Amino acid sequence: MALEVYPKEQAFRNAPVAKTLLDYLLSTQEDLRLESAFVFCNFPLFREEGVVLTAPLILVSPLHGVFLFAFPEDARAFGETPSDTAKSLEGTYSQVFSKLVRYPRLRNNRNTLAATLEAYLFSPEEPVDYEGDSDLLLVGLGSVKRTLDAQRLPKPLADEIIAEIISVLDGSKALIRPPDRDIKPFSQTSKVARIVALEEEIRRFDRDQRIAYMSEISGPQRIRGLAGSGKTVVLAIKAALTHVREPDARIAFTFYTKALYQHVKQLITRFYRLYDDRDPDWTKLRILHAWGGDVVEGLYSFAAKAHGEVPLTFAQARAFDPHQPFDYVCNRLISNSSLNSLFDYIFVDEAQDFTPSFLRLALRLADEEKLVIAYDVLQTIFDVEMPTVEVLFGTDKRGEPAVHFEEDIVLHKCYRNPREILVCAHALGFGIYGPRIVQMLESKEHWEDFGYQVTKGEFISGQEIVIERPEENSPSSISKDNSINQLIEVQVFSEFSEEIDYVVGQIVKDISEEGVSPEDILVICADDKNIRSYFRNIATELNRHGIACNNLQQDSFGLTDFRAAKKVTLSTVYKAKGNEAFIVFLVGIDALFDRKAAKRRNMVFTAMTRAKGWLRVSGLGTVAERFAKELDKAKEHFPKLQFVYPSSEQLVIMKRDLVTAESGELENVIDRLTEEFSDEDLEDVLSRKLQELRKRKRTHRKKHRTQH
């Protein structure tokens, strides 16, 4: 493995001496035995008594330990003396030592570390004009190798020690820790042991994530990836670090889902406290919902008031534009000739859920266009087109993009699903091995953005394409002890009662023999018509074994939490969207697979990708058998997707069908209501709504006649 540099080698473009050392380490890494080492540039940073401390370069090597370097000659460009540099480096050394020594795995005893920790001043030519009482050693280009060789450890640090050091330095120790699980009574390959290992794996940052949050902001940036790639976490730490660097900067963090507020605040607080001994200044770093209202302020409402406008409510905006009320208020505010920046930095999460008008408003409100957006890709099989920068921010008078992203970072690793489940879900969702493909990513770059590699073929009609998902782009903790057939099982039954017995038996076994908690298990019913029978029977049988259920289908008003302590969750496909569980039972698959509609394929994709560990699919009769055969083909080709690229005519048909599927959104809503309400309740609601609609029409006609 080559020496890894974070965030990027370009971090030292304004620090020539630091770049000299970095170039030397990179070019001689084999000779220096640094192939598995890490370099952090200007990271981590700490705030101590109002001063930001950092080591411009930190080297972490399994064969040598941890080395902090500072560069007096680079510091002179910013008005620092060598003594100032030495003092800052000593402060950083103390901070790093105090962070590392907290963790038992990283110390020999209360006061000494298991790994070497040293700090050096570096000057290419040695010696530098340095006077002071510091005992820091000075090294030059000619003595780096001697210095590292002198610190060579008797044996390399274990992988888990290096991983722990990196997690302390890169901030992943602040990630929210899951509740402790009792795994002692169970084997190391049990499901509960694998779940614990996965939870630990998820609590470490990967390469793409580190690059995304460590890079400083001087213009527009985009961070994108599949759902489950950690965009919200990355954006939160990026906001926290910006606040550490610039405590007086005006920062806004905004998002689409109101329920995200407390989660975001908790994340930012945890990350900020890694680098400063207090909470963030919430008067400077503001967490704002996108719209806002009378009680909770939002980015739009805050900006409207600041520019002398009265913010419109949802009801008021809907009167002007019933279909896109938020789009209307954003465009209205953008048209305000006095609109100017209110924040030094703006971070927008869930950018895929906003119309371009809100992103353009955010860009106008951010000083020097210092806007960072996080964007989910491929939320459904309908979302294969990634909006271009022209679509998001428009064009200038010459027709050129009005904005160019300073950084456009793709998070390739998806933590939500094992590789086996994600690849098979894409195969089934896209119809790769079905009667015909229903959706297609039309370029090599597009597939690579989603974490795949194109290993064969050109995207030309009739060409055979082979695409593979690399192991490093998915979590491995569960996969390494489970074959694809253990992770994904399909059972076909001839009788409804047999399917119920199978599901109940497997759940009981997972809880009693594998140590899985009931709340780690999710049952999704794909059969809308028979959902009550499925859930009633499953709940009754589980209750006989002392296992309770959280039946979301019984909750007509959506007030129940998706997950409840010590209860198995029973959910529809719609309500499961955006949630996940370690073990998912997808029952009644024959009801979803009895039609060829793209909408049904999308529901299959959504249901399958709720599984963080194991997926159990079941259904009745020949339709379920057809699903099983198609899934078997996906398993046979795993970790690859193999298909013939469609003709232009086939692509046209695909897009036409998908437009038809998307335009059936009203039908989707009615389906959802049918699924979640009793026939009597639904009839009552629709009757009242029909009366209101007719009354509105009569009022409109009367008003029209009066005006004329």
Side-chain angles (χ1 to χ4, degrees):
M1 187 174 78
L3 175 65
E4 294 188 26
V5 180
Y6 296 102
K8 291 180 179 178
E9 294 173 36
Q10 299 93 306
F12 288 148
R13 54 183 174 268
N14 297 319
V17 179
K19 189 175 187 310
T20 297
L21 177 58
L22 179 60
D23 288 345
Y24 174 75
L25 296 176
L26 287 167
S27 62
T28 61
Q29 58 183 285
E30 188 173 340
D31 187 36
L32 297 174
R33 304 290 302 277
L34 298 177
E35 296 96 328
S36 299
F38 300 80
V39 166
F40 291 97
C41 304
N42 295 311
F43 194 88
L45 63 162
F46 308 97
R47 180 163 289 279
E48 185 175 271
E49 297 180 354
V51 177
V52 174
L53 301 173
T54 188
L57 188 150
I58 296 181
L59 172 67
V60 181
S61 166
L63 279 173
H64 306 89
V66 183
F67 297 86
L68 282 57
F69 291 93
F71 308 92
E73 292 174 28
D74 283 341
R76 277 200 181 101
F78 301 97
E80 283 189 12
T81 67
S83 293
D84 294 331
T85 305
K87 184 178 179 181
S88 177
L89 182 59
E90 286 184 322
T92 304
Y93 177 94
S94 297
Q95 287 280 358
V96 171
F97 179 87
S98 68
K99 301 294 182 188
L100 295 175
V101 81
R102 291 180 188 178
Y103 299 97
R105 192 183 291 175
L106 299 183
R107 63 175 184 251
N108 292 324
N109 52 50
R110 189 182 303 171
N111 300 312
T112 62
L113 294 172
T116 303
L117 176 63
E118 298 288 351
Y120 298 98
L121 297 173
F122 176 87
S123 176
E125 304 298 329
E126 282 184 273
V128 68
D129 181 15
Y130 166 59
E131 293 180 3
D133 56 4
S134 171
D135 58 359
L136 290 173
L137 297 175
L138 182 68
V139 297
L141 205 56
S143 57
V144 170
K145 186 177 188 308
R146 290 196 305 274
T147 302
L148 290 176
D149 286 345
Q151 298 292 346
R152 181 82 62 84
L153 299 170
K155 63 177 182 178
L157 295 169
D159 289 346
E160 58 267 24
I161 298 292
I162 290 295
E164 188 91 338
I165 292 171
I166 296 300
S167 71
V168 172
L169 294 178
D170 72 6
S172 55
K173 280 292 183 184
L175 289 169
I176 297 169
R177 189 178 186 87
D180 289 335
R181 297 172 184 269
D182 183 12
I183 63 173
K184 290 179 182 177
F186 305 97
S187 73
Q188 291 185 346
T189 58
S190 64
K191 286 179 180 174
V192 67
R194 291 296 95 213
I195 287 172
V196 169
L198 176 60
E199 288 174 331
E200 186 64 24
E201 182 180 359
I202 291 172
R203 290 186 68 246
R204 299 194 189 280
F205 289 123
D206 61 51
R207 176 172 177 77
D208 293 333
Q209 291 173 331
R210 292 186 191 115
I211 290 171
Y213 69 74
M214 288 183 191
S215 56
E216 296 186 41
I217 308 159
S218 57
Q221 296 183 0
R222 177 168 61 184
I223 300 166
R224 53 196 171 105
L226 293 169
S229 54
K231 293 175 293 299
T232 298
V233 169
V234 166
L235 212 61
I237 188 172
K238 199 171 181 73
L241 288 168
T242 303
H243 189 39
V244 172
R245 288 189 185 101
E246 302 179 48
D248 293 324
R250 303 159 301 165
I251 302 170
F253 190 111
T254 189
F255 42 86
Y256 184 85
T257 305
K258 289 182 179 179
L260 203 56
Y261 182 90
Q262 289 300 332
H263 179 61
V264 167
K265 188 171 185 178
Q266 183 184 20
L267 282 173
I268 291 176
T269 301
R270 291 175 70 94
F271 287 128
Y272 185 84
R273 288 188 67 85
L274 277 179
Y275 310 110
D276 198 351
D277 247 353
R278 56 183 176 177
D279 285 346
D281 181 350
W282 299 115
T283 66
K284 298 292 186 182
L285 199 171
R286 303 175 68 103
I287 301 175
L288 302 165
H289 181 251
W291 192 320
D294 295 334
V295 179
V296 179
E297 197 160 50
L299 187 67
Y300 157 72
S301 60
F302 177 83
K305 291 174 187 175
H307 290 92
E309 292 191 13
V310 177
L312 295 182
T313 64
F314 176 77
Q316 291 169 332
R318 193 169 59 176
F320 290 100
D321 188 339
H323 303 293
Q324 293 281 0
F326 193 46
D327 186 50
Y328 171 80
V329 300
C330 291
N331 280 319
R332 175 169 162 161
L333 186 53
I334 289 172
S335 66
N336 187 324
S337 58
S338 66
L339 187 68
N340 54 31
S341 64
L342 296 177
F343 296 94
D344 297 294
Y345 301 90
I346 295 180
F347 298 86
V348 180
D349 198 11
E350 305 180 303
Q352 74 284 347
D353 293 327
F354 292 112
T355 58
S357 60
F358 177 71
L359 301 180
R360 296 175 190 186
L361 174 63
L363 187 73
R364 293 278 296 276
L365 297 175
D367 190 41
E368 298 180 350
E369 298 186 339
K370 286 186 267 193
L371 170 71
V372 184
I373 66 173
Y375 209 104
D376 259 356
V377 295
L378 201 60
Q379 284 191 304
T380 73
I381 63 167
F382 303 131
D383 295 333
V384 298
E385 295 297 331
M386 185 70 194
T388 63
V389 69
E390 293 94 331
V391 170
L392 296 177
F393 297 105
T395 56
D396 59 22
K397 294 178 182 178
R398 298 171 299 171
E400 297 294 321
V403 167
H404 293 277
F405 286 122
E406 170 195 73
E407 297 271 6
D408 191 8
I409 299 169
V410 180
L411 305 182
H412 295 96
K413 188 168 183 175
C414 175
Y415 292 90
R416 177 166 287 175
N417 316 111
R419 181 170 63 145
E420 294 82 353
I421 290 176
L422 186 60
V423 171
C424 288
H426 281 143
L428 271 292
F430 282 13
I432 298 292
Y433 306 112
R436 65 182 179 87
I437 296 174
V438 301
Q439 179 58 297
M440 179 51 53
L441 303 179
E442 297 179 26
S443 72
K444 175 183 177 182
E445 292 73 22
H446 215 156
W447 281 104
E448 289 174 347
D449 282 352
F450 294 150
Y452 286 86
Q453 291 178 350
V454 179
T455 59
K456 179 181 178 181
E458 301 289 333
F459 287 77
I460 301 170
S461 173
Q463 280 246 359
E464 184 183 27
I465 306 291
V466 179
I467 293 162
E468 181 173 351
R469 187 166 189 85
E471 189 175 354
E472 62 268 21
N473 287 349
S474 298
S476 60
S477 300
I478 288 178
S479 298
K480 64 183 178 184
D481 288 326
N482 290 265
S483 68
I484 190 169
N485 288 322
Q486 289 173 312
L487 290 173
I488 310 172
E489 291 182 7
V490 184
Q491 297 290 334
V492 179
F493 301 97
S494 56
E495 298 292 338
F496 176 77
S497 60
E498 294 174 344
E499 186 177 5
I500 298 297
D501 290 344
Y502 160 76
V503 172
V504 171
Q506 289 296 307
I507 291 174
V508 171
K509 182 179 178 181
D510 286 336
I511 294 172
S512 62
E513 298 179 20
E514 297 286 341
V516 178
S517 301
E519 58 265 36
D520 291 327
I521 300 173
L522 166 63
V523 180
I524 300 175
C525 184
D527 187 346
D528 294 346
K529 292 181 180 178
N530 296 298
I531 191 168
R532 284 181 172 78
S533 295
Y534 269 106
F535 286 173
R536 183 176 61 251
N537 282 274
I538 289 171
T540 299
E541 292 302 313
L542 285 177
N543 188 56
R544 290 177 181 170
H545 293 274
I547 301 170
C549 291
N550 180 35
N551 188 348
L552 301 180
Q553 196 273 335
Q554 288 180 338
D555 174 38
S556 300
F557 300 100
L559 301 178
T560 302
D561 289 338
F562 185 82
R563 189 173 289 101
K566 299 181 180 179
K567 291 184 178 181
V568 172
T569 303
L570 310 180
S571 174
T572 64
V573 177
Y574 294 111
K575 286 190 175 181
K577 190 175 181 182
N579 294 283
E580 64 273 332
F582 286 106
I583 303 176
V584 169
F585 289 85
L586 176 55
V587 301
I589 191 62
D590 47 288
L592 267 191
F593 225 63
D594 65 343
R595 301 183 199 173
K596 298 178 182 178
K599 185 178 77 171
R600 300 279 172 157
R601 291 272 177 181
N602 183 55
M603 291 175 71
V604 171
F605 171 78
T606 298
M608 291 178 69
T609 51
R610 298 313 92 199
K612 293 170 68 175
W614 296 265
L615 175 64
R616 307 287 180 253
V617 187
S618 59
L620 304 177
T622 56
V623 177
E625 285 179 358
R626 193 163 69 241
F627 173 88
K629 288 178 181 178
E630 192 170 322
L631 181 59
D632 283 343
K633 288 184 181 178
K635 288 181 178 182
E636 288 171 16
H637 290 92
F638 174 81
K640 300 175 181 177
L641 296 173
Q642 190 169 337
F643 55 91
V644 174
Y645 191 72
S647 66
S648 55
E649 293 81 8
Q650 289 170 319
L651 288 171
V652 168
I653 293 170
M654 272 182 220
K655 291 176 180 178
R656 183 196 65 199
D657 290 348
L658 289 170
V659 168
T660 302
E662 286 187 289
S663 66
E665 186 58 31
L666 179 59
E667 182 187 346
N668 291 347
V669 173
I670 298 297
D671 286 347
R672 207 171 309 158
L673 291 173
T674 304
E675 171 189 316
E676 297 181 7
F677 288 84
S678 68
D679 293 344
E680 294 77 12
D681 288 343
L682 186 59
E683 185 178 8
D684 181 56
V685 169
L686 291 177
S687 177
R688 282 190 282 110
K689 286 296 178 185
L690 185 59
Q691 290 175 16
E692 290 175 14
L693 179 62
R694 287 170 175 166
K695 183 178 179 181
R696 241 188 351 257
K697 283 185 175 180
R698 286 196 299 270
T699 303
H700 178 75
R701 284 196 295 267
K702 186 184 294 184
K703 183 179 179 181
H704 184 76
R705 286 195 298 269
T706 303
Q707 290 174 341
H708 292 79

